[in-house]
Amino acid sequence: MTTTRPIAPHTQTVTSVRHYTDRLFSFRVTRPQSLRFRSGEFVMIGLMEDNNKPLLRAYSIASPSWDDELEFYSIKVKDGPLTSKLKNIKIGDELIVRPKPVGTLVLDALLPAKRIYLIATGTGFAPFASLIRDPDLYERYDEVILCHTCRDLAELDYSKELVNSLPTDPLIGEFIGDKLTYYPTTTRENSINMGRITKLLVDGTLSKDLNLPPLNPETDRLMVCGSIDLNNDIKKICDAAGMNEGSNSSPSHFVVEKAFVG
Ligand code: A2P
């Protein structure tokens, strides 16, 4: 007689939740023992629906690969099938985490260079929250320029707090030294750096503010994570600078990935 076994649900336990705004929150869960990943990769996570089927979406892992737990950074979409439920999770709740990491925002997809730009909008910051805590990033690059564009200042809190905590972090602080530069910008609330990062790149404001030369395929690499429009706009900027898109099998000058949205 043959029996069918239920598919292992890969359930993990929520260990902390933090809400930043009515649109953004982060949470941490226990880490599946079998999960090995490269900083910048994503996994499928989700919840069981009432009909006992898993509802899963792609989420970038925001924690570094050396962390005992997994961290995620999420938007709350009002009628989003998953996020409208996920936003209510509490410590002790169960979350499905499929331990099969994938993604293009990995250091192996880029050729060596002097400087790397990490460009995110909104929750597109998540993979970079992992990468900026990875010693390998600072071993490969002399300068890391972290750009995060959000609508208003409150939406920058997650990245701002993380960046501020890094210099004194006992595990990663010494690797970073003075290599990491944070360039936050807002588009709908006044702040020191106003405007979309695409505009600030093209009109020379970013170079002027940070005293950087124009993009150059010899010295610069880019990783980009945001909306499809942002990714396409940056691709055009990279094309114009003579840069090519890289991949795991063919490393080059820049890589892009769509941020989780629903
Ligand atoms: P804007 O306010 O001008 O739309 P969202 O919260 O909708 O995900 O957007 C996050 C941030 O990304 C916002 O500041 C938004 O600016 C910006 N943004 C959206 N599309 C683009 C794009 N194509 N290029 C650059 N920035 C973008």
Side-chain angles (χ1 to χ4, degrees), residues 63-78:
S63 46
S65 49
W66 46 261
D67 201 325
D68 290 341
E69 294 182 339
L70 295 178
E71 184 173 310
F72 299 97
Y73 182 50
S74 179
I75 193 133
K76 307 171 204 175
V77 179
K78 192 160 163 284

Side-chain angles (χ1 to χ4, degrees), residues 23 121-122 149-151 187-188 196 198 227 229-230 233:
R23 294 205 318 141
T121 56
T149 298
C150 289
R151 296 181 184 190
T187 51
R188 303 190 192 186
R196 290 181 164 195
T198 38
S227 63
D229 283 349
L230 169 89
D233 290 349

Side-chain angles (χ1 to χ4, degrees), residues 23-24 75 119-124 148-152 155 185-188 195-199 226-234 261:
R23 294 205 318 141
L24 296 167
I75 193 133
I119 299 181
T121 56
T123 54
H148 190 196
T149 298
C150 289
R151 296 181 184 190
D152 55 42
E155 294 192 342
T185 90
T186 55
T187 51
R188 303 190 192 186
R196 290 181 164 195
I197 193 63
T198 38
K199 175 183 171 288
S227 63
I228 292 176
D229 283 349
L230 169 89
N231 295 354
N232 288 336
D233 290 349
I234 300 263
V261 281

